[in-house]
Amino acid sequence: MNSQDKKVSRNDPCPCGSGRKYKKCCLPRHEAPRPRGLEDQTEKPFIAELRPDVDEKVDRLLQRLERGDHQLEGEITALLNEYPRYHTTNYAMGVYLAVAKKDAPRAMRFFEKAVEILPPFAEAHFNLGNTARQACQIPKAVTAYRAAQRYSERGDGIAELARKELQWLEKVLLKATPFLSLDAYLANAKLFDAAFELLSAAEFERAARLFQEVLKENPEHVQSYGNLGLAYAGLGQRSDALACLDRALELDPGYEPARLNRRIIAQMREGEPFIPHAVYETEFYRKRLERESQLRPKL
């Protein structure tokens, strides 16, 4: 970047004369921002096409969406079909699905595509974090918010918004747990996810060992007791399965999956493997997040 470019703010008119903001025109071509505070992190090289004409069409559509026009799916879809590998068309579809359709899981996929195409796309990272949080994919949300902080430029406000989201997540997720940091909590959550995958694959012995590891670090984690009970049932260990489900209900008397599974497992015979015909508990975070979201202050 030359000395003239260094004086240009990302929200200033682009010096190329296009009339667009620098951040939506030549900034990505001139310099992919280095992550702030992580100078030793290696960034993957990327090449991203820039189409100011497409960006202008996206801007107009998003302005209409902001004004309350939710009848845009056809126009956004047509633009995305014409430019499927362009960052702002994928971003536009993500915003539409999140705002007009309230469909966080689908929106999340388009934000992921947008940041895959243009990694320094701070707005897309932030929206990816929001939709991942709404879908209760908390590790993905944390990663996205941190990326939004890294790629945010001074004055755009994105880093501050991401910081507030991370603070709120940390407050909610660490409440009533033994963890001292968000990263420690997330490491335990990933261990739970690995255990659940094994349980879903009927690898009961390995699943039981991992659920036990989760409980060593988080001894009052209700879902782990509930799923450990299912793993023991699959191994034919009726008494151990019932003890785990009883512990889950002791910790949370309103935890309905444990109550339903206990009723079924009580019918099994000791020593005979038994797979309960019930839905496994997959939502590691949802119940707590939903309760806390009701009391959450507006950003």
Side-chain angles (χ1 to χ4, degrees):
M1 185 183 292
N2 60 40
S3 58
Q4 181 181 4
D5 290 335
K6 287 182 180 179
K7 298 177 183 178
V8 180
S9 167
R10 75 194 306 269
N11 289 311
D12 288 342
C14 187
C16 75
S18 67
R20 297 179 54 76
K21 290 183 179 180
Y22 183 42
K23 68 180 181 180
K24 291 187 176 181
C25 191
C26 292
L27 175 60
R29 183 187 298 124
H30 288 161
E31 180 177 83
R34 286 186 58 79
R36 293 201 301 269
L38 294 176
E39 287 78 7
D40 59 342
Q41 177 171 323
T42 301
E43 293 293 317
K44 294 181 180 179
F46 69 93
I47 298 175
E49 180 186 18
L50 295 174
R51 293 290 305 265
D53 56 327
V54 178
D55 294 336
E56 289 174 4
K57 293 177 182 178
V58 167
D59 281 347
R60 286 196 294 269
L61 288 169
L62 293 182
Q63 288 168 8
R64 288 168 55 191
L65 181 63
E66 189 175 354
R67 291 194 296 267
D69 183 356
H70 290 181
Q71 308 303 314
L72 299 173
E73 186 168 6
E75 293 177 70
I76 294 176
T77 298
L79 194 59
L80 179 62
N81 288 339
E82 188 174 358
Y83 303 98
R85 282 286 306 169
Y86 196 63
H87 57 287
T88 60
T89 56
N90 282 275
Y91 177 76
M93 181 58 79
V95 172
Y96 173 78
L97 291 171
V99 173
K101 298 297 186 179
K102 309 299 182 186
D103 190 342
R106 285 181 64 204
M108 185 169 56
R109 294 196 291 271
F110 287 99
F111 292 133
E112 287 177 316
K113 189 71 171 180
V115 299
E116 174 192 332
I117 296 168
L118 186 67
F121 196 172
E123 293 94 334
H125 282 294
F126 180 75
N127 282 279
L128 173 57
N130 286 343
T131 51
R133 173 178 54 75
Q134 291 164 19
C136 292
Q137 296 191 29
I138 304 305
K140 182 176 291 187
V142 171
T143 298
Y145 286 138
R146 287 174 173 171
Q149 285 183 303
R150 291 200 305 270
Y151 293 121
S152 173
E153 289 292 319
R154 185 175 292 107
D156 65 9
I158 294 173
E160 179 63 14
L161 289 174
R163 183 186 66 80
K164 289 181 178 180
E165 294 289 350
L166 288 168
Q167 283 183 333
W168 180 79
L169 279 174
E170 187 168 44
K171 179 181 178 181
V172 171
L173 297 175
L174 299 189
K175 185 178 181 180
T177 74
F179 301 107
L180 300 178
S181 72
L182 185 57
D183 285 323
Y185 187 97
L186 294 177
N188 190 261
K190 290 178 181 179
L191 188 61
F192 174 90
D193 290 341
F196 180 77
E197 288 183 11
L198 291 171
L199 178 65
S200 300
E203 296 189 37
F204 300 117
E205 188 170 350
R206 293 176 63 196
R209 287 200 297 268
L210 285 191
F211 283 126
Q212 289 165 357
E213 289 297 318
V214 173
L215 288 166
K216 285 181 182 178
E217 297 180 3
N218 191 4
E220 295 188 353
H221 188 245
V222 176
Q223 292 96 324
S224 287
Y225 278 111
N227 283 320
L228 180 56
L230 294 176
Y232 282 144
L235 293 169
Q237 298 173 215
R238 177 181 180 275
S239 59
D240 289 335
L242 292 176
C244 286
L245 294 169
D246 287 341
R247 178 57 177 155
L249 289 169
E250 179 184 345
L251 291 168
D252 183 358
Y255 186 52
E256 195 61 23
R259 193 176 305 281
L260 294 174
N261 287 328
R262 193 191 190 290
R263 189 178 305 138
I264 297 170
I265 291 172
Q267 303 173 25
M268 71 179 281
R269 295 180 181 180
E270 188 72 37
E272 295 183 4
F274 181 81
I275 313 274
H277 298 288
V279 178
Y280 295 158
E281 175 57 51
T282 63
E283 299 298 350
F284 188 45
Y285 314 95
R286 182 179 298 278
K287 293 173 72 176
R288 180 177 300 153
L289 284 173
E290 286 181 347
R291 286 196 299 267
E292 296 289 341
S293 293
Q294 295 174 1
L295 304 174
R296 184 182 183 195
K298 296 293 184 181
L299 295 176

